[in-house]
Amino acid sequence: MDIDLGSGTSGGAGFAHPLLAWLADVGAGIDAAIECPTLSLPLGEYESALRQIAVCEAKLASLRLHLTRQAELNEVRKLTGAANAAGWVRQVTRMGRREAAVSVRLAKALDQTIRATGRALSEGEISLGQAQVIERAIRRLPNDVDAEVKAEAEAFLLDSAQALDVDDLDRAGKHLYEVIAPEDAERRIGKQLEEQERRARENRTLSFGPARDGMGTMFLRLDVPTLAILQALLDPLARPRPTGPDGPDLRSSERRQADAFAEFLGVAQAAVDAPNRGSVRPRITVTVSYDGLVARLGSGTLNSVLADSGPAHLKVKTQAGAGGSGDGIGPGGQTLIGYRITGPPLSATLVRQLACDAEIIPVVLGGDGAVLDLGRGSRLFTSSQRHALAERDGYFCHFPDCRRPEKWTEAHHINHWVDGGATDLNNGVLLCQHHHTTIHTHGWTVRMGPDGHPEYIPPPWVDPCQNVIRPDDHTIVRR
């Protein structure tokens, strides 16, 4: 072991170790290379330059690991009070805890068990990442495997490293483990998978972020089997819609997945065995003024915890008329106080759409904030009525050229129930969620045709002549 008796620099009075002088020269050379402009480098030389840099990196990594091993053996950590060699490496190189531990472990392995890998790294024949993969593959082998077999395995991986990148070499190492010790590999892999799956199930999370600007956020982490089931359920709903009267499907794949999830929720909510609380099926409540609901103006409030500050109560104050009445309103000048839970706002148009077939309870308020009507589930089309609508119009979404299955559709009131429309077969049609939204928001009109089947009138920007479309016989009726 060489001892530095001087200041440690070439300009000092004492002895300077050749390694320090060499490193100073290498540092100066790298500085010069960094400052050298690369714009003039011929395109054909880029590959050669990058390969030489990779070789230099491998050799420097080999030198660093060799020095790390010597520092561990000489207990250099005691000079700084570090608890172990990995702690000393962290102090000196600012590595992370795991990276420093891996570095010390690799340095020891290159010195003791995989010396051929150490030589290959020092000659720049393999990269640091490949050396780490080889060390991990050899360490993975059971202790009872002969040293000669391990040496053969190391030689195989070194030979493979000439043609494989780090990822492929890692796969080769795992395969080698399964070949050399198949029973141990099967046991260990099975145990690892069981533990991994257990942690995944325990770490499943779902949380909701605040709702702002009409959008809410859901954070979801699932174990692989559950995620696969969800993907399988969404896949048929997320396929692009065929081009129809409303144009081609221009949605991105992410948008189609989100729409499929919304449609899936509707299917789940409508299921006979949907989860319930207190024998009540899942539903939401929307507060809306009667005038806004009828005129499709204004907004309603979704009574939900999806508010910026959580559920809160809002006082509604009105002055009663001059005289008393039998509806609970006191004499003139008396102030009435009402309460409702605040939540994200919804347009009156969307409330009308939801009211068609969603399990929502519209709380209709008068001008003074009093509850005029609390809608009931009987407002919705029954299961038998939905079946009859499917028998009448076909077991698909009835919108022209749409083939969404009946189980993915919503029952739409042709004449809206708030406008006096009845919940009966002559006033209903099955539409998928997309085309249900199209009818409510894109200017399309659906009406009952003379043949007892619904027919459609497109908006002027789709068909300037607004020809009537009958999807059941694919004929166009000129107006």
Side-chain angles (χ1 to χ4, degrees), residues 84 86-87 89-90 94-104:
N84 49 41
V89 170
R90 288 179 62 203
R94 296 188 294 276
M95 287 184 181
R97 186 184 304 275
R98 181 179 180 279
E99 185 182 8
V102 169
S103 180
V104 172

Side-chain angles (χ1 to χ4, degrees), residues 340-381:
R340 64 185 177 87
I341 299 176
T342 61
L346 302 178
S347 69
T349 299
L350 180 55
V351 174
R352 287 173 66 95
Q353 177 183 337
L354 291 174
C356 280
D357 195 38
E359 188 70 20
I360 86 161
I361 303 300
V363 181
V364 182
L365 301 179
D368 59 357
V371 175
L372 297 180
D373 178 56
L374 182 64
R376 295 182 301 276
S378 60
R379 165 184 54 78
L380 304 177
F381 285 92

Side-chain angles (χ1 to χ4, degrees), residues 5-73:
L5 300 176
S7 64
T9 61
S10 58
F15 171 75
H17 196 285
L19 176 62
L20 299 178
W22 181 88
L23 289 175
D25 292 340
V26 170
I30 292 177
D31 289 340
I34 292 175
E35 294 175 0
C36 179
T38 58
L39 291 177
S40 59
L41 183 67
L43 298 181
E45 300 296 331
Y46 273 68
E47 179 179 344
S48 175
L50 194 59
R51 288 183 181 277
Q52 291 184 49
I53 292 174
V55 170
C56 291
E57 288 178 340
K59 292 182 177 181
L60 284 173
S62 174
L63 179 60
R64 175 174 59 81
L65 291 170
H66 176 71
L67 190 63
T68 298
R69 177 59 175 163
Q70 291 300 315
E72 182 183 25
L73 293 174

Side-chain angles (χ1 to χ4, degrees), residues 156-233:
F156 168 78
L157 292 174
L158 283 173
D159 184 60
S160 301
Q162 304 306 310
L164 301 179
D165 60 22
V166 171
D167 295 333
D168 289 338
L169 186 63
D170 187 47
R171 282 189 282 270
K174 292 177 180 178
H175 177 67
L176 188 66
Y177 172 44
E178 296 170 2
V179 171
I180 294 177
E183 294 181 0
D184 184 78
E186 184 176 359
R187 178 190 59 79
R188 181 177 295 188
I189 292 174
K191 187 176 181 179
Q192 289 176 345
L193 288 175
E194 289 178 0
E195 177 62 20
Q196 178 179 304
E197 291 162 359
R198 182 191 64 79
R199 290 198 306 266
R201 287 192 297 270
E202 292 180 352
N203 291 327
R204 288 187 295 202
T205 58
L206 190 155
S207 60
F208 296 94
R212 296 189 180 95
D213 301 325
M215 292 290 291
T217 305
M218 179 176 70
F219 304 92
L220 180 65
R221 296 178 72 244
L222 295 175
D223 55 294
V224 172
T226 304
L227 185 62
I229 293 173
L230 178 60
Q231 288 177 321
L233 290 171

Side-chain angles (χ1 to χ4, degrees), residues 437-471:
T437 302
T438 297
I439 293 296
H440 277 275
T441 62
H442 289 70
W444 283 77
T445 300
V446 57
R447 69 186 185 188
M448 189 59 67
D451 59 351
H453 293 274
E455 58 187 22
Y456 302 83
I457 302 175
W461 53 87
V462 174
D463 179 6
C465 297
Q466 292 191 282
N467 293 310
V468 177
I469 302 176
R470 291 178 179 170

Side-chain angles (χ1 to χ4, degrees), residues 263-295:
E263 194 169 348
F264 169 72
L265 292 179
V267 174
Q269 187 183 34
V272 175
D273 56 349
N276 63 76
R277 175 179 291 181
S279 300
V280 178
R281 292 172 61 195
R283 63 189 181 189
I284 58 178
T285 304
V286 176
T287 303
V288 63
S289 70
Y290 176 78
D291 293 339
L293 187 62
V294 173

